[in-house]
């Protein structure tokens, strides 16, 4: 399957009956949940799970979602969601891109971009990324 960028991190999804809204397709809020799930799984793959976030007293918190809903997903659709880390300032902010595709017909259902800021968990205030974040997320940055 062709993706917008090279070397995506991909998760598989299936649209369940609980994801369907009154209009008969996956509810837009469900897509946000999928974005979060994909970002978390990618972070975990990079060695930065919730336990590590707590140990470091740091987390990457969402500050902005930009989502383009391009086509609808329906119950029992099998989907693939890809993510890439496309930008970061090496201090506070990091940006991920996402692309959601339906493999059976190759249609892109969604493109999104999420901006994260590093926060100190104990205070909720912005705080510089620790070295472990630079080491973990750095190699995943597109073009690194």
């Amino acid at each position: 399957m062709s993706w917008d960028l090279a070397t995506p991190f991909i998760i598989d999804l299936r649209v369940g009956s609980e994801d369907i809204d009154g209009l008969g397709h996956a509810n837009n809020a469900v897509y946000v949940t999928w974005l979060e799930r994909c970002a978390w799984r990618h972070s975990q793959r990079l060695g930065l799970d919730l336990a590590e976030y707590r140990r470091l007293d740091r987390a990457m918190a969402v500050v902005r979602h930009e989502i383009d809903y391009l086509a609808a997903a329906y119950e029992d659709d099998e989907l693939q969601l890809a993510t890439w880390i496309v930008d970061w300032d090496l201090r506070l902010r990091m940006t991920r891109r996402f692309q959601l595709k339906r493999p059976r017909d190759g249609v892109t259902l969604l493109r999104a971009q999420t901006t994260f800021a590093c926060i100190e968990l104990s205070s909720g205030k912005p705080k510089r990324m620790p070295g472990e974040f630079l080491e973990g997320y750095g190699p995943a940055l597109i073009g690194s």
Side-chain angles (χ1 to χ4, degrees), residues 94-143:
M94 179 175 71
T95 304
R96 283 183 176 276
R97 281 184 48 191
F98 298 89
Q99 182 182 6
L100 180 66
K101 294 189 87 168
R102 188 172 42 227
R104 73 172 159 77
D105 59 10
V107 170
T108 293
L109 307 178
L110 169 145
R111 285 189 177 90
Q113 182 169 293
T114 300
T115 303
F116 298 83
C118 187
I119 62 167
E120 182 178 59
L121 286 171
S122 58
S123 70
K125 295 183 189 281
K127 205 67 149 183
R128 190 176 187 95
M129 289 182 201
E132 290 89 342
F133 278 25
L134 302 178
E135 293 165 12
Y137 289 122
L141 179 67
I142 292 297

Side-chain angles (χ1 to χ4, degrees), residues 1-117:
M1 188 155 32
S2 176
W3 295 99
D4 289 345
L5 298 171
T7 63
F9 174 83
I10 300 168
I11 64 168
D12 295 318
L13 300 165
R14 187 186 145 287
V15 182
S17 60
E18 68 280 2
D19 301 323
I20 303 302
D21 64 17
L23 300 178
H25 55 71
N27 185 278
N28 64 304
V30 172
Y31 290 87
V32 175
T33 301
W34 292 340
L35 297 178
E36 179 185 26
R37 182 180 308 161
C38 188
W40 262 117
R41 287 192 185 158
H42 189 215
S43 289
Q44 290 167 341
R45 172 72 55 86
L46 298 172
L48 295 166
D49 60 12
L50 191 55
E52 186 68 352
Y53 274 23
R54 288 181 178 144
R55 184 186 75 76
L56 296 168
D57 192 30
R58 295 290 188 283
M60 296 307 295
V62 172
V63 294
R64 180 181 174 96
H65 285 301
E66 299 172 66
I67 302 172
D68 293 318
Y69 298 96
L70 305 171
Y74 299 95
E75 188 171 351
D76 294 325
D77 274 353
E78 300 286 337
L79 308 175
Q80 288 190 315
L81 180 58
T83 191
W84 302 264
I85 298 172
V86 295
D87 190 35
W88 71 343
D89 64 8
L90 300 173
R91 295 181 308 277
L92 291 172
R93 295 201 177 241
M94 179 175 71
T95 304
R96 283 183 176 276
R97 281 184 48 191
F98 298 89
Q99 182 182 6
L100 180 66
K101 294 189 87 168
R102 188 172 42 227
R104 73 172 159 77
D105 59 10
V107 170
T108 293
L109 307 178
L110 169 145
R111 285 189 177 90
Q113 182 169 293
T114 300
T115 303
F116 298 83

